[in-house]
Amino acid sequence: MSTALLLSALVGGLANGAVYALVALGLTLIYGVLHIINFAHGSLLMLALYASWILWSALGVSPYVALVLLAPLFFALGYALQRWVIGPAGQGRDANVLLVTLGVSIVIDNLALAVFGPATRTVDIPLATSTIDLGVMYLPLPRLIAFVAALLLSGGLWLLLNRTDLGRAIRAVARESDAARLVGIRVAHIHAVTFGIGTASVAAAACLLLPSFYVSPDAGYAFVLVAFTVVVMGGMGSFPGALLAGLVIGVIESFSGLWFGPSLAPIGIYAAFALVLLFRPTGLFGARA
Amino acid sequence: MLLEVTGLAAGYGALPVLRDVTMAVGQGEIVAVLGANGAGKTTLNRVLSGLLRPRAGVIRFDETLITTANPEAIVSAGLIHVPEGRRIFARHTVEENLLLGAYRRGRTRRARNLARIYALFPRLSERRSQVAGSLSGGEQQMLAIGRGMMAEPRLMILDEPSLGLSPRLVDEMFDLVGSLAGDGTAILIVEQNVVRTLDLASRAYVLENGRIALQGEAATLARDPVLRQTYLGV
Ligand SMILES: Nc1ncnc2c1ncn2[C@@H]1O[C@H](COP(=O)(O)OP(=O)(O)O)[C@@H](O)[C@H]1O
Ligand SMILES: [Mg+2]
């Protein structure tokens, strides 16, 4: 096998992996702080893909521009969802919360099906077909943008969590919610803000994906399954873990596609997943049991 | 009176814990709450700081009704609860713990308070960028109290602050509480260390099965035969 082929598989894998990581970051953040598994994550990704597609098809707005608009909009959506739907309906019981997020996802999926029908839609922007010459390969420009943007957004989220008052409060709520209340942190508000940040990052992922992907009512599932794998592999709730696991899974998928053919590419992911769980049950960055 | 509690009742689910608790703490006063394990001391603290809603009764802080107020409003008013078991933020740095203590205060006051705490606790200053979970038990207790002081308390509730400390650190801790009160902060202290606590406090309440069984001047209670028998075994 030629070096060029291997290198291009590596670069392509890293580019995909960065987007997987971005989708997973919101999921792992929400799990780490609210201790809930958000089953609506994939549906919210799909909703953001449609929102971005509508902005392009109705107004000609490029998905990269739409990101600036949709991230805050989806922050507000996520905030409202947690503050006024999931939080009150869940009443702090895990089983309730699970069912509520599942219910939210069913509602969103069926709304999308009713409004848009089952057809697959894509955007057609000139940028989407440009490539850049890396010497060994031509990398489609959207994938380079997605890679760089995913890394920047992850770095931004890390700074937000570790270098700001809000981030300090979010981390306090995650581990010691009574003590957080006792210093005057409004826990319900911080929960909603966290859910909002997770939802905004999934909207950002959608805008970065759309130029090289498609949207249909079940588009979220293609990613969210991988995202769940990334979250568990990285260590539930771990940020650096999700980033690393996302990149690793992207590369593994790309290489196993090269060797076993594209239709069998996921096999590599699940084999690696099983190995990680076998040897490090709490994930790459999870606390040791 | 700074804190006035009248006819308070509270519990968890179907379980009643506190019954008809009436008590008060004056400006700058040190008041002790004593009682066996399970008497309801921590439950009382949780109700006072808004973590648990009372079933009946009235709580006033500085003439304002706070019976159903949220914890953040109670913190803003200056009633600060340093919880049992310290509950520091173990993965945050020492400095982040202190900054979180002043979450409801503006940036300039935060910086001023931080300097004051570091001057008072040089060991916390030395370890300011270390994660709090790596501190010793005594340092963690100092951090918990320091975090409470960051909020500029008018009344500080301390729930078993000497628990798990070496005798030397217990001395330090009681001295610290005395000097806090000397600076005008009222203290409501829950303790197992009955002798030291009655020595420090001006008045005390004894909780038994969620009711106030005894109350009075600390010096008088220290000589009370029933109390001595129950808590000191003499
Ligand atoms: N979260 C809780 N849920 C149910 N019961 C509790 C809870 N916390 C305390 N209790 C019960 O309330 C009673 C009083 O407990 P607590 O206030 O912690 O007592 P103390 O601080 O005086 O040791 C005990 O019987 C205890 O088992
Ligand atoms: Mg207790």
Side-chain angles (χ1 to χ4, degrees):
Chain A
M1 210 166 276
S2 77
T3 324
L5 205 58
L6 289 176
L7 257 176
S8 74
L10 179 69
V11 173
L14 285 174
N16 279 350
V19 177
Y20 293 159
L22 193 56
V23 177
L25 282 178
L27 205 56
T28 212
L29 178 68
I30 289 169
Y31 177 81
V33 177
L34 285 78
H35 312 296
I36 64 176
I37 294 168
N38 176 22
F39 278 114
H41 205 66
S43 305
L44 289 167
L45 176 69
M46 176 269 291
L47 199 63
L49 284 165
Y50 271 116
S52 184
W53 176 79
I54 290 172
L55 283 175
W56 172 79
S57 64
L59 303 167
V61 177
S62 152
Y64 299 118
V65 178
L67 191 156
V68 181
L69 215 71
L70 290 180
L73 193 69
F74 272 70
F75 171 85
L77 174 67
Y79 185 98
L81 209 56
Q82 167 59 30
R83 188 75 194 259
W84 294 296
V85 180
I86 299 173
Q91 294 181 335
R93 286 197 206 91
D94 289 352
N96 290 2
V97 172
L98 218 92
L99 288 176
V100 176
T101 63
L102 202 61
V104 167
S105 97
I106 291 171
V107 169
I108 295 176
D109 290 358
N110 284 286
L111 272 176
L113 198 59
V115 174
F116 301 105
T120 294
R121 301 163 198 271
T122 54
V123 298
D124 178 17
I125 54 175
L127 213 150
T129 49
S130 347
T131 56
I132 51 162
D133 187 354
L134 293 182
V136 292
M137 64 177 292
Y138 290 97
L139 185 70
L141 194 54
R143 303 183 58 190
L144 180 70
I145 295 175
F147 178 74
V148 172
L151 289 188
L152 286 178
L153 284 166
S154 315
L157 277 176
W158 188 89
L159 285 177
L160 177 75
L161 279 181
N162 290 286
R163 293 283 180 271
T164 68
D165 285 351
L166 175 65
R168 247 177 243 138
I170 289 175
R171 288 182 292 126
V173 167
R175 310 209 137 250
E176 286 284 356
S177 76
D178 272 355
R181 283 189 173 88
L182 290 180
V183 298
I185 296 172
R186 291 182 296 147
V187 169
H189 169 71
I190 292 293
H191 277 171
V193 167
T194 305
F195 206 97
I197 294 172
T199 310
S201 64
V202 94
C207 295
L208 296 173
L209 274 172
L210 192 59
S212 55
F213 194 59
Y214 62 90
V215 55
S216 67
D218 58 3
Y221 291 96
F223 285 91
V224 89
L225 207 62
V226 178
F228 272 113
T229 313
V230 168
V231 168
V232 176
M233 197 161 155
M236 307 281 285
S238 163
F239 239 65
L243 189 58
L244 183 69
L247 295 175
V248 165
I249 279 185
V251 170
I252 288 173
E253 180 189 45
S254 162
F255 277 104
S256 62
L258 198 61
W259 281 310
F260 308 128
S263 62
L264 291 181
I267 285 183
I269 296 181
Y270 297 109
F273 183 48
L275 283 177
V276 167
L277 290 191
L278 206 58
F279 293 107
R280 283 200 61 114
T282 53
L284 296 174
F285 273 62
R288 274 161 228 234
Chain B
M1 283 286 164
L2 181 59
L3 176 74
E4 284 184 270
V5 179
T6 317
L8 195 71
Y12 305 94
L15 176 78
V17 175
L18 297 177
R19 274 165 276 219
D20 196 25
V21 171
T22 296
M23 61 174 300
V25 181
Q27 305 273 2
E29 195 183 15
I30 305 184
V31 174
V33 175
L34 307 172
N37 263 333
K41 306 178 299 293
T42 296
T43 303
L44 173 63
N45 294 346
R46 291 173 63 84
V47 172
L48 295 179
S49 54
L51 290 180
L52 185 67
R53 284 274 155 99
R55 300 208 169 135
V58 173
I59 309 170
R60 274 177 210 284
F61 184 67
D62 198 20
E63 317 281 294
T64 311
L65 264 184
I66 57 160
T67 315
T68 57
N70 297 319
E72 65 265 21
I74 293 174
V75 168
S76 296
L79 197 170
I80 307 301
H81 172 181
V82 178
E84 188 177 0
R86 298 163 196 140
R87 298 285 157 201
I88 54 154
F89 303 115
R91 293 210 187 169
H92 290 63
T93 64
V94 167
E95 180 144 321
E96 286 181 317
N97 269 271
L98 292 173
L99 291 173
L100 278 167
Y103 190 75
R104 292 265 141 214
R105 306 282 175 231
R107 282 186 177 273
T108 45
R109 282 161 78 180
R110 227 191 282 184
R112 198 182 58 207
N113 296 349
L114 193 63
R116 194 166 56 96
I117 303 292
Y118 280 150
L120 190 63
F121 302 110
R123 269 174 303 175
L124 294 184
S125 176
E126 286 159 24
R127 289 161 173 62
R128 61 177 79 187
S129 49
Q130 224 169 291
V131 289
S134 70
L135 298 183
S136 72
E139 290 163 347
Q140 291 193 9
Q141 186 60 58
M142 295 306 157
L143 179 58
I145 294 177
R147 183 178 68 185
M149 291 172 66
M150 286 291 293
E152 304 170 15
R154 306 183 55 208
L155 170 63
M156 187 184 262
I157 300 177
L158 294 163
D159 197 336
E160 309 221 12
S162 77
L163 203 68
L165 299 188
S166 69
R168 190 178 55 82
L169 287 173
V170 170
D171 286 348
E172 254 183 55
M173 207 278 307
F174 275 98
D175 288 348
L176 171 67
V177 175
S179 71
L180 271 176
D183 295 341
T185 309
I187 306 278
L188 184 65
I189 183 169
V190 167
E191 260 298 333
Q192 304 272 351
N193 195 331
V194 174
V195 178
R196 298 288 317 250
T197 307
L198 287 179
D199 196 34
L200 178 75
S202 58
R203 291 185 305 112
Y205 297 87
V206 178
L207 267 184
E208 243 176 63
N209 294 319
R211 290 176 196 277
I212 292 184
L214 267 175
Q215 59 178 300
E217 298 293 320
T220 317
L221 283 176
R223 290 189 303 270
D224 186 284
V226 181
L227 188 96
R228 289 178 71 87
Q229 171 119 45
T230 320
Y231 296 102
L232 306 177
V234 291

